């Protein structure tokens, strides 16, 4: 259980275009989803937290108008990188916490289960 | 959010036990300690989580002293495929369940 998928796994786009990345919880209801960004040889950096049906909360320094997050259902969150530029090239990873309908996943409510990541390359 | 400190890297050999200690002096009362494993170009994989004393599952053990200011992840009999970055994180509902990733520990298992 607690499987999170991301689509696409990689994407290459031209500068100025927008790219949408999907994050899905396959076997549980994700009440909260998180979006991270990871540059080569670096750790994960939290970009934003989204709760189903609410506006996302962005971390300091993350432009909310550039990184649009939608969490319209309990199993899907999307991250849209608008007007992408080469400096946006990175590895984007989502994670989710929630319940499988019977009990809270993990031993605490903060157990995050991560997707496989999406490699974005902006030319 | 509690800050964590881990060794940058560790080398080991196949079949050995690897112990990675993480310091988290500012851990809050309701925080849990969670360890993740990450391979290159993949999302982190949940390994183990605990609150106090000792937790064991099929892949690892987690030792937490009474003061909870540190924790040790123990990987028994590592293999080459255990070469990865291991992250120690603390967090809980009080922090909105947010996790702050530190630098992690890069473990290299040699033949």
């Amino acid at each position: 259980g607690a499987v999170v998928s991301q689509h696409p796994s990689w994407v290459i786009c031209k500068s100025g275009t927008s790219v949408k990345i999907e994050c899905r919880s396959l076997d549980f209801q994700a009440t909260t989803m998180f979006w991270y960004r990871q540059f080569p040889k670096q750790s994960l950096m939290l970009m934003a937290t989204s709760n189903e049906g609410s506006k996302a909360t962005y971390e300091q320094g993350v432009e909310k108008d550039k990184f649009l997050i939608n969490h319209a259902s309990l199993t899907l969150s999307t991250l849209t990188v608008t007007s992408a530029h080469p400096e946006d090239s990175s590895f984007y990873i989502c994670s989710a916490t929630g319940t499988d309908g019977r009990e809270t996943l993990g031993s605490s409510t903060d157990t995050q289960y991560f997707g496989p990541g999406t490699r974005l390359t902006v030319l | 959010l509690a800050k964590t400190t881990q060794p940058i890297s560790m080398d080991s050999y196949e079949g050995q036990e690897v112990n990675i200690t993480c310091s988290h002096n500012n851990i809050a009362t309701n925080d849990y300690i969670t360890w993740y494993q990450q391979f290159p170009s993949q999302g982190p994989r949940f390994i183990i989580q605990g609150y106090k004393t000792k937790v064991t599952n099929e892949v690892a053990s987690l030792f937490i002293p009474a003061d909870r200011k540190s924790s040790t992840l123990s990987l028994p009999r590592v293999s080459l495929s255990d070469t990865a970055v291991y992250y120690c994180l603390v967090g809980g509902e009080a922090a909105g369940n947010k996790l702050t990733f530190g630098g992690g520990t890069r473990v290299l298992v040699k033949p």
Side-chain angles (χ1 to χ4, degrees):
Chain A
V3 178
V4 177
S5 70
Q6 282 185 240
H7 177 80
S9 55
W10 60 270
V11 57
I12 301 173
C13 69
K14 293 182 179 180
S15 185
T17 61
S18 294
V19 174
K20 179 184 284 188
I21 302 170
E22 292 185 349
C23 176
R24 293 182 185 273
S25 56
L26 300 185
D27 53 1
F28 67 102
Q29 295 180 327
T31 50
T32 304
M33 285 185 167
F34 302 84
W35 286 95
Y36 296 82
R37 180 168 51 181
Q38 186 176 33
F39 293 107
K41 303 292 185 182
Q42 295 186 22
S43 187
L44 284 78
M45 289 176 15
L46 179 65
M47 299 175 65
T49 303
S50 75
N51 293 296
E52 186 265 339
S54 304
K55 288 185 177 180
T57 302
Y58 291 81
E59 294 300 301
Q60 190 173 9
V62 178
E63 301 175 57
K64 62 180 181 181
D65 294 329
K66 181 169 183 61
F67 299 99
L68 302 179
I69 292 172
N70 184 280
H71 190 169
S73 78
L74 284 173
T75 59
L76 173 65
S77 177
T78 60
L79 167 67
T80 301
V81 183
T82 62
S83 186
H85 292 283
E87 57 265 30
D88 298 322
S89 297
S90 187
F91 192 52
Y92 291 86
I93 310 169
C94 72
S95 72
T97 62
T99 71
D100 64 357
R102 292 170 294 167
E103 60 183 327
T104 302
L105 293 173
S107 58
S108 80
T109 57
D110 71 339
T111 305
Q112 292 185 27
Y113 295 91
F114 287 81
T118 297
R119 174 78 57 194
L120 169 63
T121 302
V122 185
L123 303 177
Chain B
L1 291 173
K3 180 182 177 181
T4 60
T5 303
Q6 305 174 231
I8 294 174
S9 64
M10 296 179 70
D11 287 359
S12 182
Y13 291 91
E14 280 191 291
Q16 288 188 336
E17 179 182 81
V18 171
N19 296 305
I20 310 171
T21 297
C22 177
S23 297
H24 28 79
N25 292 316
N26 296 324
I27 188 169
T29 302
N30 295 326
D31 284 347
Y32 278 76
I33 301 158
T34 311
W35 286 79
Y36 290 90
Q37 174 193 57
Q38 187 182 30
F39 297 112
S41 296
Q42 293 186 28
R45 183 175 76 102
F46 173 85
I47 300 176
I48 198 167
Q49 183 181 73
Y51 183 80
K52 62 180 179 180
T53 62
K54 177 183 175 183
V55 180
T56 298
N57 62 22
E58 61 275 11
V59 298
S61 294
L62 179 60
F63 299 91
I64 305 168
D67 65 6
R68 304 201 326 123
K69 293 184 181 298
S70 67
S71 60
T72 299
L73 174 72
S74 180
L75 304 172
R77 298 180 299 281
V78 294
S79 63
L80 296 177
S81 62
D82 292 318
T83 293
V85 178
Y86 292 82
Y87 293 98
C88 159
L89 299 104
V90 298
E93 288 188 76
N97 294 326
K98 293 198 297 186
L99 298 176
T100 300
F101 280 78
T105 297
R106 193 171 297 273
V107 173
L108 173 63
V109 180
K110 303 175 183 177

